[in-house]
Amino acid sequence: MPLIEKGEIVADAYIRVPDEEALPEGAAVLIGIDRFLAEADGLKGRQAPVGVIWPNNRPIAEIEPYLGQLSLIALNFPSFRDGRAYSQARLLRERLGWKGPLRAIGNVLRDQFLLMERSGFDQIDAAKTADAEAFDEATHRYTVFYQPATDQRPSLLRQRLGRTVSGVRS
């Protein structure tokens, strides 16, 4: 599956390693949360980046003590109707201060790219190349937003508050 990062299709630097397989030396790995928690102390000395796949049915606050050990967090969308990962992304960015890469994985659809970007995702594991190629169009379809988000685009309210009646900025 193609990986989209900042609007471009890029090579995935991380290897997904199942729980029962050994971690490759010197390679960036993406592992499940159960394995990460079981091996967290041993992974502290690892010389290569470690990413974690965080399930959407687990409170995101539980990851806070481990943020310094992680180089990537992947949040799962098991179904296109399940939006809990959006909330997890916002909480990671806004409350927990996560500045590293945040990846959307699972049932990721082109119609959701804009909301994913606005929620704080900067990597999207797209289902097919055609979806990845449509990323730019999907994320630039709308230019005015009512809700504030993590992507720093001003909401309509913020835009209006920046103007006076005469049109002069305050």
Side-chain angles (χ1 to χ4, degrees), residues 3-168:
L3 181 65
I4 305 168
E5 183 173 23
K6 298 179 179 139
E8 303 292 326
I9 298 174
V10 298
D12 191 351
Y14 288 79
I15 301 168
R16 284 194 193 185
V17 182
D19 289 349
E20 63 278 358
E21 288 184 20
L23 298 180
E25 287 297 319
V29 295
L30 185 58
I31 59 176
I33 187 58
D34 292 331
R35 180 176 190 168
F36 176 78
L37 292 175
E39 301 176 16
D41 289 336
L43 292 170
K44 286 180 182 176
R46 185 171 164 77
Q47 297 299 308
V50 176
V52 68
I53 299 170
W54 193 266
N56 70 349
N57 62 354
R58 192 170 189 142
I60 200 67
E62 290 179 15
I63 202 171
E64 188 171 17
Y66 305 101
L67 290 177
Q69 285 181 252
L70 298 170
S71 59
L72 170 72
I73 299 173
L75 300 178
N76 190 28
F77 287 87
S79 164
F80 73 91
R81 292 178 289 183
D82 190 336
R84 291 177 284 183
Y86 293 115
S87 299
Q88 289 176 322
R90 297 265 325 243
L91 290 170
L92 272 168
R93 295 290 190 204
E94 295 173 2
R95 289 194 188 160
L96 302 180
W98 175 253
K99 302 289 185 209
L102 191 54
R103 182 182 294 186
I105 63 170
N107 195 343
V108 175
L109 303 175
R110 155 188 328 201
D111 294 350
Q112 299 167 324
F113 286 171
L114 177 61
L115 184 54
M116 287 177 180
E117 182 183 62
R118 297 205 75 224
S119 297
F121 290 99
D122 44 20
Q123 294 182 355
I124 298 173
D125 198 1
K128 45 192 169 180
T129 305
D131 287 345
E133 292 169 351
F135 179 83
D136 189 59
E137 189 272 327
T139 57
H140 290 92
R141 181 176 300 142
Y142 302 103
T143 58
V144 177
F145 301 98
Y146 288 107
Q147 303 86 0
T150 63
D151 67 353
Q152 305 305 314
R153 294 186 210 180
S155 67
L156 186 58
L157 176 63
R158 288 283 167 224
Q159 290 176 16
R160 287 183 178 165
L161 288 176
R163 298 184 189 111
T164 62
V165 176
S166 65
V168 177

